[in-house]
Every structure is written in C-alpha cells, then in structure tokens.
Amino acid sequence: MKAPIRTLLLPCLLGSVFTAGDAMAHPHVWVSVKSEIVMDAMSVSAVKHVWTFDEAFSAFAIQGLDEDGDGTYSREELQPLAQVNVESLSEYAFFTDLYEKGAPDSDEAIFSEPVDYWLTLDKGVLTLHFTLPVLEAAKAKVDASKEVILDVYDPSFFVDFSFANDSPITLANAGAGCSVAVKQAEALDDDTMGLLAQIPADQRELPDDLMQMTATMANQVFLTCK
C-alpha cells in the first residue's frame, strides 16, 4: 500500500488529523447518508450505503492520491482509500444496526464484510459507496406483525451521521405492501453540545454520562410490510 494512505481511515481518524492547537469539538466528521434496503422475500438481505463526507474531511483524505498529477481523482486512484475505509469499519460495526423491533439486544455480528465498494469525488466532496450483506443467521424478517429497524449512527458522536434530505432511503426487491418511514436524529441541546466542546480532539471515547445522551442520536428507518 502506498504511503499517502497513511491515516486515511474514517473510523480510525481518532483526532490524529488535528493538531493540538485545534479547538475542535465532537463531532469531527460529518456524513450525509443515503441507503438502500435490499430484500429477499420477506427478509432483509443487504444494506447499500452511499455516504457523502464534509468538505474538510474530503480535502484531507485525498492529499497525495492524484498519482498522475492531472488534477482529477479517478475511481482507480481512490480505490485504495475506499478499501482502507471499508476494511476498518468492521471494528465499529459499520455504524449500522439492523434488527426486528422488540428483539433482545445481541452482540452477534449482523453483516459480512463489505462488497462492491468505491469512492467518488465531486465538487470537492468524497462519497463512499459500499454494500453490507446480511449474514444468513442475522436476516431480519418483516411481516404484518413485525417491524424491522435500521439504525445509522456513531454513539460516540465522533462522526455525525444524518440522512440526506433528498430520497434518503429506497427499497429494492420489496413487495408491494412494504414501505419505510424515516426518523432523523434529534438535535442535541446546548448544554450537551457545550460538554462535547470540552472533549479533546484526540479523544474518541466519551464519558459514560455523555454516551448516554449521544447514544440516542440514531438515524432510524422503520420497515413494515402488510
């Protein structure tokens, strides 16, 4: 792997891209999310994510990747960065949770390794495309009596995820009676934001009391089928 890829892991950023003089509070990275829920009969077989990063992170991440010096970044030039990002996401459960409503909490893996991943750069912002296949044993099933929920968030609030305003969720291979409802994460109050502002830039994990507040920041999709 070439040297320019050095610290370009999204979830392992850990504040290393910021100098000690940066008074930057949580969050450090902003991501706009679009997702496609892929169904197989009455169960979810995969989640396809499209994550668009903020301009500041994008500018940092592409440093040194224009190998031919033509001022543009091809999909091939960005592919090593895409690979580093998706390979590291498993440590953080891909910032994605999928479960049947009311099911007991479980530490079992839900997704297999990401596939069909690549990066694009448009108007100065990076967009990561990747697919998360659902493990056979973890497939969430939906019917008239069951609701399936998809969460996308970082409970430590190091990365601020939010669903895109335009068509954030689509369904593939879904039955005619299936539909989704989207719930954006609620904004944190000023007091909580003030506490987050005091967290050092090189500290990813939050104190327990703050984690209890930010852990409610999930962006949620509710999938139902009649």
Side-chain angles (χ1 to χ4, degrees), residues 42-45 98-100 134-135 138-142 148-149:
M42 297 300 285
S43 63
V44 178
S45 61
L98 181 73
Y99 53 95
E100 296 173 6
V134 179
L135 294 169
K139 283 188 176 180
K141 301 184 184 300
V142 58
V148 169
I149 302 175

Side-chain angles (χ1 to χ4, degrees), residues 131-222:
T131 297
L132 293 173
V134 179
L135 294 169
E136 188 65 33
K139 283 188 176 180
K141 301 184 184 300
V142 58
D143 57 32
S145 63
K146 291 181 181 178
E147 185 176 49
V148 169
I149 302 175
L150 171 69
D151 294 345
V152 182
Y153 76 118
D154 176 7
S156 74
F157 207 48
F158 191 90
V159 182
D160 184 357
F161 290 94
S162 61
F163 284 131
N165 293 325
D166 178 30
S167 302
I169 302 297
T170 57
L171 288 175
N173 304 329
C178 296
S179 62
V180 293
V182 176
K183 178 181 177 294
Q184 296 274 15
E186 297 180 5
L188 293 173
D189 60 73
D190 291 341
D191 289 342
T192 302
M193 290 302 295
L195 293 172
L196 288 169
Q198 301 174 35
I199 303 298
D202 60 352
Q203 178 180 331
R204 179 180 175 86
E205 297 300 325
L206 299 179
D208 289 343
D209 57 343
L210 275 180
M211 279 289 286
Q212 291 177 7
M213 299 176 187
T214 58
T216 65
M217 292 292 296
N219 302 277
Q220 294 187 302
V221 179
F222 302 94

Side-chain angles (χ1 to χ4, degrees), residues 7-101:
T7 56
L8 301 184
L9 303 130
L10 163 66
C12 296
L13 203 59
L14 298 176
S16 63
V17 301
F18 305 107
T19 65
D22 287 326
M24 195 164 187
H26 280 51
H28 298 295
V29 184
W30 287 260
V31 179
S32 176
V33 178
K34 289 189 175 186
S35 301
E36 181 176 68
I37 297 175
V38 182
M39 299 190 66
D40 177 10
M42 297 300 285
S43 63
V44 178
S45 61
V47 176
K48 294 184 177 181
H49 280 317
V50 179
W51 291 358
T52 299
F53 304 107
D54 64 89
E55 292 184 5
F57 176 80
S58 298
F60 173 83
I62 63 174
Q63 292 180 45
L65 297 184
D66 183 14
E67 294 183 356
D68 56 14
D70 65 353
T72 62
Y73 296 81
S74 67
R75 180 165 162 174
E76 290 73 22
E77 288 172 321
L78 294 172
Q79 191 61 19
L81 175 58
Q83 181 175 348
V84 168
N85 274 307
V86 297
E87 288 180 349
S88 65
L89 283 169
S90 60
E91 183 178 351
Y92 299 89
F94 309 104
F95 298 117
T96 304
D97 199 4
L98 181 73
Y99 53 95
E100 296 173 6
K101 184 177 180 179

